Amino acid sequence: MIDPRATRRFTRHRGAVLGVALVVALVAFALVGPSIAARSAYESDFVSGATAQDTPVGPSAAHWLGTDRLFRDELARLAIGARISLVIAFAATLIATVLGALVGVIAGYFEGSGGLKVPMVTLAGLAVSVAVTIAGHSNFALAIGAASLLAGYAALRFAAGSRAAASLRVNADTALMRLVDVGLSFPFLLLVMALGAALDRTSVATILLTLGLTGWLGTARVVRARTLQVRALDFVVASRALGQSTWRILLGHILPNVAGPLIVISTASVAQMILAESVLSYLGVGISPPTPTWGHMLFEGQDLYLTAPWMLAAPAGAIVTAVFGFNLVGEGLRDALDPKT
Amino acid sequence: MTRYLLRRAVWTALVVWAVLTLAFIVNNVVPSDPARMVAGAQARPRDVDRVREQLGLSQPIAVQYGRFMRRLVHFSTARRGDASGPHGACATLGWLHLDFGKSYQRRRPVVDIIGERLPRTVMLALAAMLVQVVVGVGLGMLAAAKRGSLIDHASVGASLLGVSAPTFLLGLLLQFVLAHKLRLLPLDGYGSTAAEHLACVVLPALTLGVAGAAYYTRLVRDELISVMKLDHVRTAIAKGMSPARVWFRHALRNALVPLITVLGLDLGALVGGAIVTETLFRWPGIGALSVSALLDRDGPVILATVVVTSTAIVLSNVLVDASYALLDPRVKR
């Protein structure tokens, strides 16, 4: 299943090995970090965590990475933040990859296929009917809508080949890809804030779902482009000619052949999701405090960077390390799976 | 080509309309009360109701949507007139009127606010683009020319690190070093004279540009390396063409197609407003406006920024596709 040459290329890639090491270290930190940190991430330590001037203390034996402005242990908070970041990034990537692969493969496979023929007459009529509804005459609009449907049917049935039958083809590909267009130009922040407001309090699940349900659009485009190449290959044409069902062709032939780029994209996507989560919590629309997130810790640290530089350095270092690690792995995978460049 | 562009124009309008409608729905189902935000937390319920009535928020969503869409694009021979008149909040182009209504918070026509902010965002976008292209293409060519050397490894490593740093972190770092420690540039803001605008745009443009340049370096390097292996380049070298001419005329031109794709999409995204960077550097553009409008629940402004953002993105997509036909003779529509 896995090409041994690809494995060798990956293990000889110095960047990839460094990336794997960073990722493993990060996962280990997220798993055991909260228990090694001697202090709780949520409790203020007024005894050894605060100075006489009521400012947070720097790295010390009691607090390895110092404390934040409420004298909570920075290391423990960083570890919880790592857990949250990784859970969100992995789960959101899983959602985005599955959705993106499905949509991309279906759209690519059905590109140029028959689909639904919508006569221009109908389209124009429906547009007028929408306009009339907006103007406030709904009965009139209903009549126009019905008439345009009838006119469209007549155009297709009786005027085949003539100008009146001019129509727009809507198949799975155009429908899905236009949906992707809309999604890609929809302001992502509005959606997150709306969700946050609707649910009153933003939780891990909210952010994870939002990132996952908006993250598949780019994946779908790449998978579609790749599917267009694969479906023209002889073995796909052959299995179609032999009468294999469309689902079997999609899952058994197309999907395995788009797996390479898909793995590369999803690794890079983990890095993107970590970044996106940190941006959201930095802007104050992410997971609500007191839950520690890297982005929010950085936000708190930026005002105190002169008196307490560790409050800025710790989350900043964590974010860059995590994203860099996943990007390196993605890079190594790309070189291993697609050795052309 | 004309038919193709016409079809794309129709799709563009449809996509923008769909995005706008979605945004309208999302904006309206959010359980928040713009009337309460306008009237203030201490206002009496009666006053809040009065404000709600004035803003037209007491009507059903469908009616509000109808009114909004009817006003958005309409034809009228009337001049704009004064601010309280029937066309007081319109941007006019001959008989074509564009009307987003008035901002709840700022009490000004939204088209005026957008008209004031869009040029600033475009200025920032162009400045960032300049940084990206100059640094990205330069480093990319250098890395490709010296493939396998220290310069190559350093620029590949740096570009990966650049892609991995969040914008706000990069911005903070630049702000700290260049503005706070060295005092070379203003910390943030927009300034009030043309010279000040130029000084103020440098930091946010660098912040946006460095991240983008990192990506371009990688793209240009990889593309050049694969183009340099092609037959026509080998022929050009074999017949004794000067290296500079081979690189610029035969290699770079071929590498331009994928670059233009990314460039166009980036420009669209940047014109739509760089939310984090604009907020961080207090650059009064579309991105910063959309954040403050979201926090204020200022419906008309939110919808206007959504339209600007989505139009910029969709149009840049169309421009990219159209530019293929110009750049690459193999692409025929």
Side-chain angles (χ1 to χ4, degrees):
Chain A
M1 183 74 191
I2 295 169
D3 185 356
R5 283 169 304 176
T7 321
R8 190 152 8 103
R9 274 195 298 267
F10 186 76
T11 48
R12 289 209 183 141
H13 195 289
R14 260 178 292 172
V17 174
L18 174 64
V20 170
L22 287 178
V23 168
V24 169
L26 184 73
V27 171
F29 177 57
L31 285 178
V32 300
S35 36
I36 357 172
R39 310 285 172 153
S40 155
Y42 297 100
E43 279 163 31
S44 304
D45 177 4
F46 295 103
V47 182
S48 54
T51 61
Q53 290 80 37
D54 265 356
T55 56
V57 295
S60 63
H63 301 280
W64 293 357
L65 285 177
T67 55
D68 71 357
R69 72 167 108 202
L70 295 175
F71 316 124
R72 295 172 297 197
D73 187 56
E74 194 77 0
L75 182 67
R77 293 181 67 73
L78 207 62
I80 303 270
R83 243 176 220 192
I84 290 172
S85 229
L86 285 179
V87 166
I88 288 180
F90 280 128
T93 299
L94 188 71
I95 298 175
T97 306
V98 170
L99 267 178
L102 211 63
V103 170
V105 164
I106 291 176
Y109 191 75
F110 289 108
E111 193 266 344
S113 73
L116 194 66
K117 251 179 151 180
V118 185
M120 287 298 187
V121 190
T122 311
L123 275 185
L126 287 179
V128 172
S129 138
V130 168
V132 173
T133 315
I134 289 171
H137 307 284
S138 45
N139 287 334
F140 201 39
L142 216 62
I144 296 178
S148 65
L149 283 176
L150 269 177
Y153 176 75
L156 283 184
R157 185 86 170 68
F158 303 112
S162 78
R163 280 187 90 83
S167 56
L168 198 72
R169 258 177 211 288
V170 180
N171 54 25
D173 178 47
T174 40
L176 288 172
M177 284 302 116
R178 291 296 93 78
L179 184 72
V180 169
D181 284 348
V182 173
L184 280 176
S185 41
F186 193 81
F188 164 71
L189 206 62
L190 175 66
L191 202 65
V192 180
M193 292 182 96
L195 269 175
L199 299 172
D200 196 31
R201 199 169 173 289
T202 326
S203 66
V204 174
T206 330
I207 299 290
L208 178 164
L209 280 176
T210 318
L211 289 178
L213 293 179
T214 51
W216 58 273
L217 303 156
T219 312
R221 273 197 178 167
V222 178
V223 171
R224 173 182 176 271
R226 178 85 186 159
T227 305
L228 286 178
Q229 296 170 0
V230 175
R231 73 163 187 185
L233 297 179
D234 288 342
F235 71 94
V236 178
V237 179
S239 53
R240 238 160 91 184
L242 288 171
Q244 250 189 348
S245 77
T246 306
W247 276 110
R248 282 196 72 149
I249 296 175
L250 286 182
L251 297 178
H253 294 309
I254 309 260
L255 201 59
N257 280 289
V258 298
L262 197 61
I263 292 170
V264 176
I265 300 171
S266 55
T267 317
S269 153
V270 176
Q272 289 309 310
M273 296 294 183
I274 294 177
L275 268 185
E277 189 276 320
S278 73
V279 167
L280 290 180
S281 44
Y282 175 82
L283 288 175
V285 292
I287 297 165
S288 327
T291 312
T293 51
W294 288 348
H296 194 70
M297 286 168 73
L298 207 148
F299 176 76
E300 289 179 334
Q302 78 179 36
D303 291 336
L304 289 175
Y305 68 88
L306 289 179
T307 47
W310 57 89
M311 276 178 63
L312 185 61
I319 296 171
V320 175
T321 312
V323 180
F324 189 53
F326 280 106
N327 273 337
L328 277 175
V329 175
E331 196 71 8
L333 282 173
R334 199 184 67 154
D335 288 353
L337 296 173
D338 183 20
K340 269 171 299 214
T341 43
Chain B
M1 192 71 190
T2 323
R3 258 191 86 175
Y4 167 73
L5 283 180
L6 207 69
R7 205 168 63 218
R8 289 301 298 256
V10 171
W11 275 122
T12 305
L14 274 178
V15 168
V16 172
W17 169 76
V19 169
L20 179 63
T21 304
L22 258 177
F24 193 93
I25 295 167
V26 168
N27 197 33
N28 270 282
V29 296
V30 169
S32 72
D33 190 356
R36 171 58 75 181
M37 298 282 283
V38 172
Q42 306 290 324
R44 291 174 299 177
R46 199 148 47 97
D47 293 334
V48 177
D49 284 344
R50 192 168 45 80
V51 170
R52 189 173 295 126
E53 201 66 45
Q54 273 174 5
L55 297 177
L57 294 170
S58 49
Q59 283 155 321
I61 293 185
V63 176
Q64 289 186 43
Y65 178 73
R67 207 187 39 179
F68 177 78
M69 290 307 284
R70 216 167 32 236
R71 257 192 349 205
L72 182 61
V73 180
H74 59 256
F75 294 93
S76 166
T77 50
R79 288 305 190 73
R80 179 169 176 173
D82 86 313
S84 55
H87 294 280
C90 293
T92 56
L93 184 80
W95 289 355
L96 182 69
H97 285 218
L98 185 71
D99 183 4
F100 282 103
K102 278 189 195 166
S103 158
Y104 297 160
Q105 292 289 329
R106 296 158 206 257
R107 318 263 161 118
R108 287 177 57 201
V110 175
V111 286
D112 290 353
I113 303 176
I114 297 287
E116 185 179 292
R117 297 215 167 207
L118 193 57
R120 300 175 189 157
T121 288
V122 171
M123 174 182 174
L124 177 58
L126 291 178
M129 240 39 240
L130 190 73
V131 176
Q132 289 184 1
V133 171
V134 170
V135 177
V137 174
L139 268 182
M141 283 192 79
L142 204 66
K146 310 261 179 211
R147 193 183 178 190
S149 73
L150 193 66
I151 299 178
D152 183 21
H153 288 307
S155 65
V156 167
S159 80
L160 210 56
L161 205 59
V163 177
S164 305
T167 359
F168 52 86
L169 190 60
L170 207 65
L172 280 174
L173 201 71
L174 287 171
Q175 208 174 31
F176 178 69
V177 175
L178 293 176
H180 188 265
K181 280 284 167 201
L182 301 175
R183 304 206 176 268
L184 289 174
L185 292 161
L187 207 59
D188 56 17
Y190 178 63
S192 44
T193 61
E196 280 176 10
H197 297 337
L198 272 184
C200 285
V201 84
V202 176
L203 273 183
L206 272 180
T207 306
L208 286 171
V210 166
Y215 187 68
Y216 286 23
T217 305
R218 204 42 216 272
L219 186 79
V220 169
R221 173 191 174 273
D222 291 355
E223 200 60 34
L224 277 178
I225 285 176
S226 60
V227 171
M228 286 303 277
K229 286 181 191 155
L230 294 180
D231 290 345
H232 75 276
V233 174
R234 200 184 49 200
T235 310
I237 296 171
K239 75 176 186 187
M241 189 179 263
S242 76
R245 217 173 140 80
V246 173
W247 276 99
F248 282 98
R249 219 189 145 84
H250 291 285
L252 193 62
R253 219 181 132 185
N254 270 299
L256 224 55
V257 176
L259 187 70
I260 292 286
T261 311
V262 191
L263 205 107
L265 299 182
D266 275 1
L267 192 64
L270 284 175
V271 170
I275 290 176
V276 177
T277 312
E278 284 188 5
T279 310
L280 181 65
F281 289 99
R282 293 176 221 268
W283 183 261
I286 298 288
L289 180 70
S290 64
V291 172
S292 68
L294 276 169
L295 293 176
D296 290 341
R297 304 270 178 258
D298 196 340
V301 180
I302 296 180
L303 293 176
T305 54
V306 166
V307 168
V308 171
T309 311
S310 60
T311 311
I313 293 174
V314 180
L315 270 186
S316 68
N317 265 315
V318 176
L319 283 180
V320 164
D321 285 352
S323 72
Y324 286 156
L326 296 175
L327 278 171
D328 191 340
R330 283 169 301 188
V331 179
K332 280 261 155 51
R333 292 280 168 200

